[in-house]
Amino acid sequence: MLVQERSTPKSQKPFLRNTLPINRFAETKNLDFSTWVSENFYKIVAILVLIATVAGLFFFRNAGYSAALLCFEKEAQELEKIAFPKINWNKIYPITDKTSKFMNFRTDRWIVVSVSSYPSDSLRNAVRVKGWQVLAIGNSRTPLDWELKGAIFLSLDEQAKLGFRVVDYLPYDSYVRKSVGYLFAIQHGAKKIFDFDDRGDVIDGDLGKHFDVELIGEGSRQEVVLQYSHDNLNRTVVNPYVHFGQRSVWPRGLPLENVGEIGHEEFYTEVFGGKQFIQQGISNGLPDVDSVFYFTRKSGLEAFDIRFDEHAPKVALPQGMMVPLNSFNTMYHSPAFWALMLPVSVSTMASDVLRGYWGQRLLWEVGGSVVVYPPTVHRYDRVEAYPFSEEKDLHVNVGRLIKYLVSWRSNKHNLFEKILELSYAMAEEGFWTKKDVELTAAWLQDLLAVGYQQPRLMSLELGRPRANIGHGDRREFIPQKLPSVHLGVEETGTVNYEIANLIRWRKTFGNVVLILHCSGPVERTALEWRLLYGRIFRTVVILSEKKDMDLVVQEGHLDQAYKYLPKIFDQFSSAEGFLFLRDNTILNYWNLLQADKTKLWAMNKVSGSWSSVSTSDKSDRWISHQASMVQKVVSMMPAQYQVSYKETIGNDKNLLICSSEVFFVPRRFISDFVDLVNLVGDLEIHQTVAIPMLFVSMDSQQNFDSVLDTTIYKQNHHTNASTLYSAKVPAVHPLNVSSEQDFIKLIRIMAEGDPLLMELV
């Protein structure tokens, strides 16, 4: 399920070998001045306009009209902000099917599937599921002659003719085009939609045997459902596979820091059924697992065949607790149809998971719940590559997303306004981009246009005092411990060594923001740096000399990089701390676990990195100028900073210089750092001078954490990277990465400390 961006083929000039011959000795044109001017008149005018524009800009700047330029800059900045969509809900006109041959077809049960190749055996079996209509959604890879008796197929051309607004936002080569299918099904009478893929078989060919297809009226089971306990309010996500007998398997979308939670529930509670508007099925064979599990638990080329307890009871999630959802074994009832929208600005393997968490949070607003069911589908492992790069949005952001969603509140008075507000808030927080805000607006309008009625809001239980769970309300269920074939898991239930380490690192640094300054070509390395460090840190903010909006690279000149940090601090106000790193220095994060995240980290004891120079020699004009600016800032410092600085520096004739490739600012020093940077103001104090000045002003060197003291640091190193590198130190400098090939070499040598890195190459 790799996403390939839509690209427009370049037009090619026709080959003229077999057309009319070209006269190589054609008549020479008359080149007198009047003729030349007449033939090139438009070019001359364009050049004159360009010269006038440039001259005007210089005039404005030199004449003191900087306000005009500032106005232009301000407008440019405004364009970068995310605009909140304005929708007139009373002027959304109906969209009816006037083009497809199924315009008069209606049924209330639909199976929606994305197809990229000819019909699979699983899909042929799906069309035999009694009482359900299969809807196959094509993309740019789907064969033009795709056909399956019993299925409705929508090609790209047919999708474009339906008139849905969402079509403008969907990539051509992706399963997220299923959003068109959901709308088509709703337009044609859907009340239940089974989200499915073409590599699984419905067990026994009967969806009604496994899911609660009917929630009310005739055919509904009207039974009490087991529910996870809400006794621990800090528990916001669960691994449902433990409940169904596989405690060493985890679903795609479960935060890695939660993988080690393999104990069974102390007790459950019960809840009346009828509100499980989203029903997640478990898959036997190849369950929904992430690439970390897939690569580390594989036994050669043998396919997975993992089985879950089919007799375990279905289990519900209370408000405040979430579970990963997917797009290939999930039943949606009409009150939750709005939650089917698949985001487009995140990686394909993250799209349905982010949709699931987003939808669960909003489901609480209408009193609905998610219920997980025992095996409903057998899914086949085709032993194909499982792309880690396509999951980057999961491993980097999903834990933070869950916490954000549980804490999110809205004062809007109808569901669609809340949906739009949450989508906008998630874009502001960086979980997806403004493209998904615009997609949400289009999606909601399309829903209304095809006749969907938004559900009424219900009172939210979150934030209200909950009743204590008495012994009489507790229900016990002890899950089976089914064989974990090919999983490399000991009977004690512990996960393997490499996974355990990854979990430990993520727990340690999962709320630390890494700020990486790239001096090299970001277009070749930005993604690679995020893949390398994004698995460990809360997020990776990349600074470079030039801004790149497509790669989400912010502008930050290295010699003044510290001045950009307060803005980043403000962006991530809940982070534990911020670790700055240059791209010519490699961070061995596995050697930082013992560091104190309440202290400053600096390279003050690394030979060649931190030094004190005399300012007595006036021949070095740069040193003298930097020293005078430092003295000016120190003179303006409040007493506590000034005293701390002077105790370290000794006298005004010394200047501290540090190369500052790596340093860490904890949460408790953020306000101090920002205050001191504000004192610097417009003074052009260089990064190598500013960082040591700021650090020793905030705290004494003896209080710095010593974690970086053993860094390998060479000022000029020209030998092979592998001879300089060591996995036993916190950092290594210099190691330059300027291409994908350099990155692959780096990963291979770093794998000594983190073997899972080999899954990236």
Side-chain angles (χ1 to χ4, degrees), residues 140-249:
S140 60
R141 291 180 296 162
T142 310
L144 296 178
D145 58 345
W146 196 98
E147 186 178 3
L148 177 62
K149 185 178 180 180
I152 294 175
F153 172 62
L154 295 180
S155 66
L156 285 177
D157 288 342
E158 289 170 319
Q159 294 170 37
K161 295 175 183 177
L162 293 173
F164 299 145
R165 298 167 178 84
V166 298
V167 173
D168 294 337
Y169 300 94
L170 304 178
Y172 279 70
D173 183 16
S174 174
Y175 79 97
V176 302
R177 298 196 69 84
K178 289 171 82 173
S179 292
V180 174
Y182 306 141
L183 290 168
F184 183 89
I186 296 167
Q187 185 183 53
H188 290 78
K191 299 300 179 186
K192 297 98 184 173
I193 292 177
F194 182 51
D195 212 5
F196 191 51
D197 78 353
D198 63 350
R199 60 191 294 184
D201 288 334
V202 176
I203 296 174
D204 297 329
D206 185 358
L207 287 172
K209 180 180 178 180
H210 308 289
F211 290 105
D212 289 311
V213 176
E214 300 297 337
L215 295 179
I216 57 174
E218 186 178 352
S220 62
R221 294 190 174 108
Q222 296 290 325
E223 57 189 1
V224 173
V225 181
L226 212 62
Q227 179 177 263
Y228 285 103
S229 166
H230 60 254
D231 194 45
N232 182 0
L233 297 179
N234 294 320
R235 190 182 185 199
T236 56
V237 65
V238 295
N239 177 359
Y241 292 173
V242 176
H243 177 85
F244 293 99
Q246 290 288 2
R247 56 185 179 160
S248 55
V249 188

Side-chain angles (χ1 to χ4, degrees), residues 629-648:
M629 290 189 290
V630 168
Q631 290 174 12
K632 183 175 181 180
V633 172
V634 171
S635 68
M636 296 186 292
M637 287 181 181
Q640 71 271 23
Y641 302 134
Q642 193 171 136
V643 168
S644 180
Y645 176 83
K646 290 184 176 180
E647 283 180 352
T648 301

Side-chain angles (χ1 to χ4, degrees), residues 674-694:
V674 173
D675 290 343
L676 290 170
V677 171
N678 289 337
L679 288 180
V680 175
D682 295 331
L683 295 175
E684 296 184 354
I685 300 179
H686 197 274
Q687 168 99 344
T688 56
V689 176
I691 293 302
M693 176 193 73
L694 298 172

Side-chain angles (χ1 to χ4, degrees), residues 515-519 543-545 556-558 561 580-583:
I515 304 170
L516 182 70
H517 190 282
C518 281
S519 299
L543 300 178
S544 184
E545 300 300 316
H557 303 294
L558 180 59
F580 181 90
L581 179 70
R582 286 188 59 189
D583 65 343

Side-chain angles (χ1 to χ4, degrees), residues 100-153:
S100 81
K101 57 185 176 181
F102 307 101
M103 63 178 70
N104 296 319
F105 177 76
R106 296 288 184 277
T107 187
D108 66 346
R109 298 181 180 185
W110 292 75
I111 298 174
V112 179
V113 59
S114 172
V115 292
S116 298
S117 56
Y118 287 109
S120 63
D121 290 338
S122 295
L123 200 54
R124 295 181 191 279
N125 292 332
V127 298
R128 299 190 187 101
V129 176
K130 189 175 180 180
W132 291 80
Q133 175 60 53
V134 171
L135 174 61
I137 305 301
N139 57 55
S140 60
R141 291 180 296 162
T142 310
L144 296 178
D145 58 345
W146 196 98
E147 186 178 3
L148 177 62
K149 185 178 180 180
I152 294 175
F153 172 62

